Amino acid sequence: MNALPSDLEIARSATLRPPAEVAADMGIGEDLLEPYGRQVAKVDLAAVEALAERPAGKYVVVTAITPTPFGEGKTTTAVGLAQGLAREGSRPVLALRQPSLGPVFGIKGGAAGGGHSQVVPMETLNLHLTGDFHAVTAAHDLLAAMVSNHLHHGNELGLHRIEWRRVMDVNDRALRSIIEGNGGPMDGVTRQSGFDITAASEVMVILALATSLADLRERLGRIVVGWTREGQPVTAEQLKAAGAMAVLLKDALKPNLLQTLEGTPALIHTGPFGNIATGNSSVIADRIGIRSGDVLVTEAGFAADMGAERFFNVKCRTAGLTPDAAVLVTTVRALKAHSERFEVKVGKELPPEMLAESPQDVEAGVANLRKHLEIIRSFGVQPVVAINAFPTDHASEHEVIRRVALEAGARVAVSTHVAEGGEGARELALEVLAACEDEVSFIPTYELSDPLETKIEKIATGVYGADGIDIAPAARKALAQYTEQGYGELPVLIAKTQMSLSHDPTLKGAPTGWRLPVREVRLAAGAGYVYALAGSIMTMPGLAKHPAAERIDLDAEGNVVGLF
C-alpha cells in the first residue's frame, strides 16, 4: 500500500467552499456570519435563537477506549463519520474542540483529524484560528493581575490562600512553579505561584459551558480565586474583574465555522483540558449544530471513563440535550498494548512484533474494550464500536473486535476514513444511523442532590470499576466546607490519568481490586463543578527533547512547512 501524503499536503490539495455556502447548508444566513479571512467565519450568538424552532437532529458523541501514547484516532473518526453520513444522504454537522498550541508545537500534534478525514483549513485551525485561546489567556491573566494588584494595595478582602495561577498556550515546564513579585517594593507582593496551559484554565471551561453572554458574565463573576483566613471564598466579582473579562471574551463565545475536506460543516469551539476539565467542545456550538442538520457529531476528550463521562454527566445536563448514540473508537494496536505483552513509549516506534498478525494478542487486551462498552451502556446509550483500521492490521484481528462488540450487544464497523475519507466511513455511518433509532433511556451516574462524596464514589465504582474511594482528611474537610457554602449540588469531576481506567497509568486493561485515592478536592465555582484530584496531574506540559516546533517553518513563498 502506498504511503499517504502528509496531512498538510492533503489539506492543501482540497478545494474549499466559501463559508457562506457551508452555512447555507445549515440554514444559517450570511447575516449571522462574521468572516475571518476567506475560509473561516464566526457564527453570531443570535443563531441560537434564530434556529430554536427547528427540529433537533440526532446527537452522537465519539469517544474511545483507554488511549496509548499514540492516540487512537478519535478526532479523525469523528471527521470521517461526518463525511460518511453526508455520503449516505444525511445532513451532518460536526462540533469539535480547538487545538491547543502546546501539543501542536510539542509531540502530540494538532486536532484537525488526519489523512482524508480532516477539518480545513488545517494550518489556520492548528495555529491560532480566530484567537479564542488568546482571549481566554488574556481574560485569565487579567484576573491574576488584579489579584496581585489587590494584594499590593493592601488586600482589603483578606485573601489568604490564593489558588488562581496564570496561563499560557505553550508547553513550558520552567513555569510550573514560580516566585512572583521577586523585586523591589513596587514590584508587587512576593509569593509562590505558577503557570498552567491555557486549555486547563477555568475560564476555558466557562466559555465551553456558557449558554449565553449573560450566563458567561455570571459564571465569570462566580470564579473563586482564593480564600480568607476564615475559609470564605473571594470571587472575581468581589475583585471587580469579571466585567472586563467578559469584554475580552465577548467574541470568543461565538463558535467558529470551518469545514471538512469534503465540505461538511464543522463548528470548532473551545478546548478544555481533558484531565481536570470537561474535555468537550462548547454547549453553544452544540445548540447551534443540533438544529442545523440531521445529525450532530461531537467528540469527548480521552476515553469513555473521562471525556464521555463528563459529556454525559456535565455537558448534557448544562446543554439540556440527550444523546442518541455513542461511537467507541478502538484500534488493533491499542488492544495489543492493553494485553501488556508489549512496551509502548512516546516518541518510539511500535515494536515490530506488535505489527505481526496475532488475534491472540488482541484477545488478551479486549477487557478494556468490554469495560468501555459497559461504561457507555451504564448511561443508557447505544454504543457503536468503530474499528479505526491501520494498514498494518489483519482481518483476523478485526474479527476478534467484531465478535467482542457483538457479544456485548453493540454495533460495530471497520472504518478506513483516514485513507478513503467519507467513502471509507460509510459502513460506520450506517451503523450509527441505525443506533440512533434505538430507544435511549439516558441515566446520569448520580443525582445532583447526592452528597459530593457520594458523587465521587459513584463515578469511581460505577464508571472506573474501583472497589471504593479513600479520601484524605484535607479533602474531606474541603468537601464539607464546599457543602456548607452552598456548592454541594454541583456536579463533580475526577482529575486522573487518561492512560488507565484507574488512577495509576501503569494499570492497563480493566484493572480490578483497587481503590481510588482522593488526595485533594478543588472548587471551580464559575465553571460549576467540584473536582477531585486522584494521582498526579500535570497542568503545564513540557517539551520533548525534539519537539514538533523544531520542524515547523516557512518556505520561500511564505507557506507553512513541517506541520504534521
Side-chain angles (χ1 to χ4, degrees):
M1 181 179 291
N2 294 329
L4 286 174
S6 73
D7 289 350
L8 185 54
E9 290 170 329
I10 292 172
R12 282 199 179 136
S13 69
T15 301
L16 274 64
R17 305 166 64 198
E21 186 178 307
V22 177
D25 285 354
M26 304 168 67
I28 295 176
E30 288 192 58
D31 60 312
L32 294 172
L33 294 185
E34 297 179 7
Y36 270 69
R38 297 185 181 93
Q39 299 167 329
V40 176
K42 275 192 170 290
V43 181
D44 194 276
L45 298 180
V48 176
E49 185 175 346
L51 300 170
E53 298 304 316
R54 294 190 192 171
K58 299 295 185 181
Y59 197 28
V60 177
V61 62
V62 179
T63 183
I65 66 168
T66 303
T68 68
F70 295 94
E72 307 319 314
K74 198 164 60 274
T75 302
T76 301
T77 302
V79 177
L81 171 59
Q83 295 178 155
L85 286 165
R87 291 191 179 230
E88 287 300 322
S90 290
R91 294 188 307 114
V93 176
L94 186 65
L96 299 175
R97 288 181 295 168
Q98 180 182 336
S100 164
L101 290 179
V104 168
F105 290 112
I107 192 169
K108 183 182 176 184
H116 291 282
S117 291
Q118 297 186 57
V119 174
V120 285
M122 185 260 217
E123 301 107 308
T124 304
L125 173 55
N126 284 297
L127 301 172
H128 303 292
L129 194 51
T130 58
D132 294 348
F133 267 59
H134 301 309
V136 169
T137 302
H140 182 113
D141 289 344
L142 171 63
L143 179 55
M146 291 187 76
V147 169
S148 296
N149 189 57
H150 185 80
L151 297 177
H152 178 72
H153 288 289
N155 193 15
E156 181 182 346
L157 294 173
L159 267 167
H160 173 62
R161 190 176 88 242
I162 300 170
E163 297 180 348
W164 196 255
R165 291 154 56 92
R166 286 172 171 79
V167 298
M168 64 183 296
D169 195 28
V170 174
N171 292 358
D172 192 344
R173 61 174 56 83
L175 295 178
R176 290 171 184 163
S177 182
I178 66 166
I179 302 296
E180 66 172 66
N182 194 17
M186 298 305 294
D187 295 326
V189 176
T190 302
R191 66 185 182 90
Q192 186 166 348
S193 186
F195 278 76
D196 300 321
I197 196 164
T198 298
S201 168
E202 184 181 349
V203 176
M204 181 66 81
V205 194
I206 288 172
L207 197 70
L209 292 177
T211 57
S212 66
L213 201 54
D215 185 41
L216 172 71
R217 173 62 181 81
E218 184 179 338
R219 286 174 179 269
L220 291 170
R222 293 202 305 259
I223 291 173
V224 173
V225 299
W227 307 84
T228 67
R229 289 186 181 275
E230 295 73 34
Q232 294 303 306
V234 176
T235 67
E237 197 67 60
Q238 290 174 280
L239 288 167
K240 300 180 182 178
M245 294 170 72
V247 169
L248 289 172
L249 295 166
K250 177 173 65 73
D251 289 331
L253 189 59
K254 303 168 185 175
N256 306 294
L257 178 62
L258 287 81
Q259 60 191 280
T260 72
L261 284 170
E262 299 180 10
T264 310
L267 295 168
I268 309 297
H269 200 211
T270 72
F273 211 57
N275 288 93
I276 67 165
T278 51
N280 288 264
S281 58
S282 78
V283 166
I284 283 182
D286 282 10
R287 284 188 166 183
I288 291 172
I290 204 162
R291 297 189 185 275
S292 301
D294 300 328
V295 184
L296 174 62
V297 178
T298 190
E299 174 202 355
F302 294 134
D305 60 313
M306 298 190 72
E309 180 270 315
R310 297 161 190 192
F311 172 83
F312 292 132
N313 282 323
V314 180
K315 185 181 179 183
C316 286
R317 275 181 160 130
T318 303
L321 300 174
T322 301
D324 293 286
V327 175
L328 182 66
V329 179
T330 188
T331 62
V332 165
R333 67 182 188 181
L335 292 176
K336 286 184 176 180
H338 282 290
S339 73
E340 299 190 81
R341 297 176 178 180
F342 306 96
E343 187 174 14
V344 179
K345 292 185 176 180
V346 176
K348 301 290 185 182
E349 295 292 330
L350 291 174
E353 59 272 20
M354 196 173 174
L355 303 178
E357 182 173 8
S358 179
Q360 296 84 2
D361 289 336
V362 177
E363 185 79 52
V366 295
N368 189 266
L369 172 61
R370 288 194 179 101
K371 179 59 181 174
H372 282 289
L373 285 169
E374 178 187 314
I375 290 170
I376 293 171
R377 284 201 174 282
S378 73
F379 292 97
V381 179
Q382 172 65 32
V384 179
V385 174
I387 304 173
N388 181 18
F390 282 71
T392 52
D393 293 354
H394 302 272
S396 63
E397 297 168 333
H398 288 172
E399 192 52 40
V400 173
I401 300 173
R402 184 179 296 276
R403 173 179 53 78
V404 170
L406 293 174
E407 287 174 353
R411 289 183 166 81
V412 61
V414 176
S415 191
T416 56
H417 49 274
V418 173
E420 300 178 305
E423 188 62 31
R426 293 184 78 156
E427 179 189 352
L428 175 60
L430 288 171
E431 294 295 343
V432 168
L433 289 172
C436 285
E437 298 305 319
D438 290 344
E439 183 178 349
V440 174
S441 299
F442 182 52
I443 312 166
T445 306
Y446 51 80
E447 298 296 330
L448 294 178
S449 58
D450 288 340
L452 292 172
E453 181 175 335
T454 301
K455 294 171 190 171
I456 297 170
E457 186 169 25
K458 284 184 175 181
I459 294 174
T461 58
V463 177
Y464 304 160
D467 289 345
I469 60 174
D470 297 317
I471 303 180
R476 193 177 299 279
K477 180 180 178 182
L479 288 173
Q481 178 186 1
Y482 298 155
T483 300
E484 182 181 343
Q485 292 169 338
Y487 300 115
E489 294 202 356
L490 292 180
V492 298
L493 271 63
I494 298 177
K496 73 175 188 69
T497 178
Q498 75 273 21
M499 304 307 292
S500 172
L501 282 158
S502 74
H503 63 287
D504 182 350
T506 67
L507 298 179
K508 303 302 181 184
T512 58
W514 61 279
R515 296 177 64 85
L516 184 79
V518 177
R519 61 179 178 83
E520 187 179 351
V521 179
R522 296 178 184 172
L523 173 66
Y529 57 77
V530 171
Y531 61 104
L533 279 72
S536 178
I537 303 299
M538 188 65 64
T539 54
M540 171 52 84
L543 293 173
K545 184 175 182 179
H546 296 290
E550 293 182 355
R551 301 180 289 278
I552 298 172
D553 207 335
L554 297 174
D555 64 17
E557 286 73 43
N559 297 310
V560 176
V561 295
L563 191 64
F564 323 127

